[in-house]
Amino acid sequence: MTTTAQDVIAIKLEREFEAMDANHDGYLDWTDYQKLADRYVQAYRIDRNDRRARALQTFCQIYWLELLRHAGVDGDRLTKDQFVTANRLAVVDTSRLNVTEGGGHAIFDVIDVDGDNEISRAEFERFLRDVRRSEVPDAMEAFARLDTDGDGAISRYEFIRAIREHFFSHDPDAPGSLFFGRV
């Protein structure tokens, strides 16, 4: 009997699409990415002129344009299949934007409120509550999975590693999904 291996990366990207599709119309467009950036800015009460807000906004804009470029569409919106294909291509093509690095650093800088170059449990809880809007009791298990060295904080390295795993790992529950729209 032959079994087909699941395409775990596609499943993660499909979940991300569903979470990002704010109006549930079956398409993503720039407004969906704008809403994600706005959630961070509002949750952390960051002035839109703050360098962290500008970096996050710029990343979202470039990321969106790279998705459109890699999808090869004429319009300004993507279906789920186009989104999955475009993400696969965009994360390996670092000629214009390194999705895993650029987005990871921009998001990390927002979550790291005290600027100590690590995300504490309290900062992570705030992220879950205010950006992810998650009250799930086991959501903090993700903190332990992200804190790979067990020192009680998520370093920038651990954070960027999780973002990479989201896009490249065949682990269906890679914790990086928390930061790119999965609700």
Side-chain angles (χ1 to χ4, degrees), residues 20-132:
M20 293 283 299
D21 184 11
N23 64 0
H24 308 292
D25 66 351
Y27 294 93
L28 288 185
D29 60 35
W30 165 242
T31 62
D32 294 304
Y33 277 83
Q34 181 66 54
K35 287 176 186 174
L36 177 62
D38 288 346
R39 258 197 338 254
Y40 278 95
V41 169
Q42 292 165 4
Y44 287 92
R45 296 180 180 95
I46 301 172
D47 184 277
R48 292 197 182 280
N49 292 318
D50 183 291
R51 68 166 176 76
R52 296 168 298 166
R54 290 191 329 258
L56 186 61
Q57 176 76 19
T58 300
F59 168 76
C60 286
Q61 288 173 331
I62 294 170
Y63 183 26
W64 174 246
L65 292 172
E66 284 300 290
L67 291 177
L68 290 175
R69 179 172 76 94
H70 286 290
V73 297
D74 290 329
D76 288 328
R77 63 187 199 163
L78 299 174
T79 64
K80 187 185 295 185
D81 288 341
Q82 291 167 331
F83 174 80
V84 169
T85 299
N87 264 286
R88 286 179 180 276
L89 295 171
V91 298
V92 296
D93 175 8
T94 58
S95 65
R96 295 184 186 175
L97 172 70
N98 186 323
V99 173
T100 60
E101 300 287 330
H105 287 290
I107 293 168
F108 184 93
D109 288 342
V110 171
I111 297 172
D112 179 22
V113 175
D114 62 10
D116 65 353
N117 215 30
E118 60 186 23
I119 298 172
S120 67
R121 288 185 77 78
E123 288 169 329
F124 191 75
E125 287 170 353
R126 179 179 183 188
F127 161 74
L128 287 174
R129 181 186 65 243
D130 296 347
V131 175
R132 303 296 303 161

Side-chain angles (χ1 to χ4, degrees), residues 142-158:
F143 183 88
R145 290 186 17 233
L146 289 164
D147 180 18
T148 58
D149 65 7
D151 68 353
I154 301 167
S155 68
R156 187 176 293 271
Y157 170 80
E158 291 167 325

